[in-house]
C-alpha cells in the first residue's frame, strides 16, 4: 500500500508539473491498492466534477488492473463491455488517459494516481510526473 | 455566488422570452457556483422530467466548466467519456444546449442557468435572455 | 394543481414574512399535488442542505396527506413507523413543522409549501404567510 | 472559498497536532463552502470508513450551518429530525464533534474541516489546530 508520505509527494509532483506547464486548474487523487483515498488536492477554480473524474480514472485503473489509457482502447473496441462494467462500478471507471497504476521497484501494486483538469494526455503527463517525484514505477496503459 | 435577487431576475427574463416567443411550457433552474439551486420556476403543464433536465443542463455546465452546447460536441466525439462522466454525475450532465455558465463583469463564475421545455436552441435562447435581463455574462458553449 | 403564478406569490409571501421578522436566511419550495417543484427560492448564505429540508417537509406532507406538524407527533409516538416510511421516501419526509398542505376554497388539494432556515415554528409561520398571500387554504398539521 | 494553499496548511496542522499528541492514525478532509473536497490526507493504517466519516462531519457542518458538536446535541434532543436530515444528506451528516466551520477574519464562510480517527474531542482538537495553523476562525459548535 502506498504510504501517506509517498502519496503527498505524488501530489506535489503533479501540481509542480501542472504549474510549470501553465495548465488550467488540476485535481489529483492518490488511491491505495484497496481503492481508498490517501491524498488529494483540488486547485482553485476547478469545476465541480473534477474530484469524481480524477478518482474515477484512478479507481478505474485499479478496478480492471490496467492504466486508464488501456481502458480508452477497450471502450472503443468493446463499448458494451465498458458500458456494463462502468455501470457495475457506479461510474468509477473513466476510460480516458490520466489514471496510472503505481508499483514499487519489486513490482508490488501500491495504488493509483488519477488526474483531471486538462486534455487527457496532459492529465496523464501530470500523473507520470507525480509518480516520478515519489520514485514509483508508473503504468499509464497503452493505446 | 449569484444572489437570489439576480437569480429571480434571470427567471423573469427566461419566462418573458418564452411567453413573447409563444414557446411551450418552460422550466428554468438557476444554480450558484456550488451547484445549489437558488431560484426555479416550472410553467403550468410542463412534463414530469423537466426539473431534472433543466438542472442537469446547468449542473453539467458547472460539472465540467463549459456551457452545455460544448458538451453536446464532446458527446458526439467522445461518447465513452461523456457516458462515464454522466454516470459519475448521477445523470446531472445533460449534453445538449440550454445550460449556460454565468459570470460577473470581472469574469468570476457566479453559477449556471438551465432551461428545458422546447428544442435545445430555443431553450438556450431563453437562458441567454435570462442572463441578459440580470446583466450577467453568459457562456453557452460552442458547437 | 397549483399554478406557477400562485406558487410565485407564495414564495414572495414567505420571503416578505421572513424579512419583516428578521429571520436568518430562508429557503422555500412550492410543490404541486404530484410532488413536482413549481417555484423555489433560496436566500443568500443559506446552508447546503436547506433545499432538501424544505422539499422534504413539503413532500413529506404530500407523502402522508397531512401537514408536517402532524408528522412530528407521529414520529414521537411511533418512531419505527416514521423511520420506515422516511426510508421508503428516500428521506423526503422531514417530521417537523414547516411543511404545509394547500387547498383551494373548494377543498381540492393543490400542493404543499416547505420552508427551512430557522426553528420549526418560525418556518411554519413563513409557510402560512405564503399561503395567505396567495389566497390558499393552509393545513399545517396538529401537535 | 478556501484556497488550496490554505487547505494544505490545515492538513499539515491537523497531522502535526495528531503526531505530537501520539494519536492513532487520523484522516482529515477540508471542504470548501460548496462542499467540494479541496485537500485530504489519510494516515497509514486508518480503517476503511475514515474518509467518509471525516467528510460527513465537515459536510454535516456545512449542511446545517453549524459545527458538528452542535449537531450532537440536536441528535439527542430531536432524534427524528436528525435521522430525517441524515437520510436526506445521504448520510453526509455525522453528528459528533470533529466537523468545524472555518471563516475568514470578516466572517465569510470559507469551508469546513472534518477529522476522524480517535475519540470525538481529540478529533475536534486536531481540526482546531489545523484551522489555527492556517489563520482561520473556527466554529466547532456547542454542547
Amino acid at each position: 500500500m502506498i504510504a501517506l508520505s509517498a502519496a503527498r509527494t505524488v501530489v506535489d509532483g503533479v501540481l509542480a508539473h501542472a504549474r510549470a506547464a501553465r495548465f488550467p486548474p488540476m485535481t489529483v487523487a492518490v488511491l491505495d491498492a484497496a481503492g481508498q483515498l490517501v491524498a488529494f488536492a483540488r486547485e482553485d477554480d476547478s469545476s465541480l466534477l473534477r474530484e469524481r473524474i480524477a478518482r474515477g480514472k484512478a479507481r478505474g485503473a485499479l478496478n480492471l488492473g490496467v492504466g486508464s489509457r488501456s481502458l480508452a482502447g477497450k471502450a472503443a473496441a468493446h463499448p458494451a463491455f465498458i458500458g456494463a462494467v462502468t455501470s457495475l462500478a457506479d461510474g468509477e471507471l473513466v476510460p480516458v488517459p490520466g489514471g496510472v497504476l503505481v508499483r514499487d521497484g519489486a513490482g508490488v501494486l501500491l495504488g493509483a494516481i488519477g488526474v483531471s483538469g486538462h486534455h487527457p494526455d496532459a492529465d496523464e503527463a501530470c500523473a507520470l510526473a507525480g509518480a516520478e517525484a515519489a520514485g514509483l514505477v508508473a503504468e499509464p496503459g497503452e493505446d
Side-chain angles (χ1 to χ4, degrees), chain A:
Chain A
M1 294 287 192
I2 192 166
L4 174 58
S5 58
R8 298 191 88 191
T9 302
V10 168
V11 170
D12 290 338
V14 167
L15 298 181
H17 185 87
R19 285 312 106 233
R22 299 172 182 259
F23 287 163
M26 302 302 284
T27 296
V28 51
V30 183
L31 307 186
D32 66 19
Q36 296 282 317
L37 187 66
V38 180
F40 177 87
R42 164 196 173 85
E43 290 195 308
D44 303 345
D45 301 316
S46 295
S47 61
L48 292 180
L49 203 64
R50 293 296 167 192
E51 179 198 345
R52 298 208 70 189
I53 298 173
R55 292 180 78 148
K57 289 182 181 182
R59 178 68 189 226
L62 293 167
N63 276 336
L64 291 178
V66 293
S68 67
R69 180 174 288 274
S70 296
L71 299 177
K74 279 183 197 279
H78 307 290
F81 173 69
I82 291 293
V85 294
T86 299
S87 177
L88 280 178
D90 292 329
E92 292 205 289
L93 191 155
V94 179
V96 297
V100 172
L101 296 176
V102 289
R103 299 181 188 275
D104 66 15
V108 175
L109 182 66
L110 300 179
I113 305 165
V115 176
S116 179
H118 199 15
H119 60 75
D121 289 346
D123 294 348
E124 186 187 82
C126 289
L128 294 174
E132 186 178 5
L136 302 171
V137 179
E139 289 183 13
E142 297 172 7
D143 284 319

